[in-house]
Amino acid sequence: MGRSPCCCHDAGVKKGPWTEEEDRALVVHIQRHGGHVGSWRNLPKAAGLNRCGKSCRLRWTNYLRPDIKRGNFTADEERLIIALHAELGNKYGQLLATRRSPPVAVTANTHAVCLCVGWSTIATHLDGRTDNEIKNYWNTHIRKKLLRMGVDPVTHQRLPPDDVLGGALAAAPGLPEALLSAAASLGGLNSVLMQAQALQLLLQAVNGGAAAAGLIASFSPAVDNAMPPLLNASSIVPNFQD
DNA sequence: AACGGTTGCAACCGCCTTTAA
DNA sequence: TTTAAAGGCGGTTGCAACCGT
């Protein structure tokens, strides 16, 4: 099957940001049909819009739908996204590796390095959130947060200590030398405890102790359970000063 | 105040899957 | 069974807003 022609390539079809009038026309048309769209391709003409059907569908599903929740993601939503990403990312990664392009798309673009995880599937678990919104939130917030923690956002595995230090340095160029050397001295250690200590210390420097404790508690329950005292961030630093 | 860099989000692009003739 | 049309999805891009110098 070859690629199908798309109405988006029609000459004269408007692109770019939607105006209020266009939004209104689309909403009125869909509401008039009881919230159902027969054919997206035919919709623009029927609604009096000079837009591609795909564009209309995207505008409706990502922005105009009445059940869309606006505003910041809650901590619970964030945790859920990460959990689902970890689960679905692995599933999709294995699935996709066998039948389409590799799950990881790395580009020269600085904006996003994404994993094919099934954003739409994740979106079905979050009321009022769209796949596009979740994808954007992942790429702009969660991904960076995980990298700062030394967690690979693609595999959800801990990055090698060198990478953790590199990431922390990139995130906080002013990180004190002494702190880094102390953490680096733990790099070769295998124990989860020591690595967690190093990680938490770095996070403290980057984000502040409370944030670090919160992140570790959120994303690494195993570490949390094994070493609850670590989550008292202030107790860590003296260990390094010894 | 002006400028350059960064960030976040809306929208587009292209590929894949599904559906129907 | 084959083929083309249509829908759906993930990746990428463009741009406005924000921030630091």
Side-chain angles (χ1 to χ4, degrees):
Chain A
M1 277 185 288
R3 216 180 125 242
S4 63
C6 175
C7 57
C8 302
H9 299 299
D10 291 353
V13 171
K14 190 184 172 196
K15 293 181 182 179
W18 281 63
T19 64
E20 283 185 31
E21 294 81 58
E22 287 175 317
D23 282 347
R24 224 179 350 258
L26 181 56
V27 170
V28 165
H29 177 83
I30 292 176
Q31 285 177 343
R32 197 181 295 151
H33 289 77
H36 291 94
V37 180
S39 162
W40 283 110
R41 171 162 280 206
N42 297 332
L43 182 144
K45 195 176 176 183
L49 289 162
N50 185 27
R51 289 277 183 173
C52 166
K54 266 187 173 185
S55 182
C56 293
R57 184 181 63 81
L58 221 57
R59 184 64 179 171
W60 173 256
T61 56
N62 288 339
Y63 200 83
L64 297 174
R65 243 174 44 205
D67 58 330
I68 286 180
K69 193 197 287 183
R70 293 271 146 206
N72 295 336
F73 280 75
T74 65
D76 281 346
E77 286 176 318
E78 189 173 307
R79 270 191 288 272
L80 186 55
I81 292 169
I82 292 167
L84 289 167
H85 185 280
E87 185 182 346
L88 296 172
N90 288 334
K91 282 183 190 170
Y92 274 74
Q94 289 164 10
L95 180 67
L96 293 169
T98 64
R99 61 176 188 181
R100 54 191 282 183
S101 56
V104 182
V106 180
T107 70
N109 186 298
T110 56
H111 274 65
V113 178
C114 300
L115 172 70
C116 298
V117 293
W119 298 114
S120 56
T121 308
I122 293 176
T124 62
H125 290 80
L126 285 99
D127 285 343
R129 300 296 190 183
T130 69
D131 55 354
N132 202 43
E133 194 179 10
I134 292 169
K135 179 174 62 183
N136 280 333
Y137 188 70
W138 177 274
N139 285 328
T140 56
H141 293 93
I142 298 177
R143 191 178 151 266
K144 290 171 190 172
K145 199 179 271 188
L146 290 174
L147 282 172
R148 276 205 304 270
M149 291 173 59
V151 175
D152 189 327
V154 175
T155 63
H156 291 258
Q157 304 297 309
R158 285 200 186 287
L159 290 164
D162 285 353
D163 290 351
V164 174
L165 292 173
L169 265 177
L175 211 58
E177 294 278 338
L179 193 64
L180 283 173
S181 61
S185 69
L186 295 171
L189 298 175
N190 290 327
S191 93
V192 176
L193 169 64
M194 298 305 269
Q195 288 184 19
Q197 281 187 328
L199 179 60
Q200 187 173 14
L201 186 60
L202 289 168
L203 283 167
Q204 256 191 299
V206 175
N207 291 331
L215 286 170
I216 288 179
S218 299
F219 300 134
S220 186
V223 171
D224 187 0
N225 292 335
M227 297 156 291
L230 280 177
L231 299 179
N232 176 0
S234 62
S235 68
I236 304 300
V237 176
N239 293 345
F240 284 95
Q241 290 172 334
D242 286 341

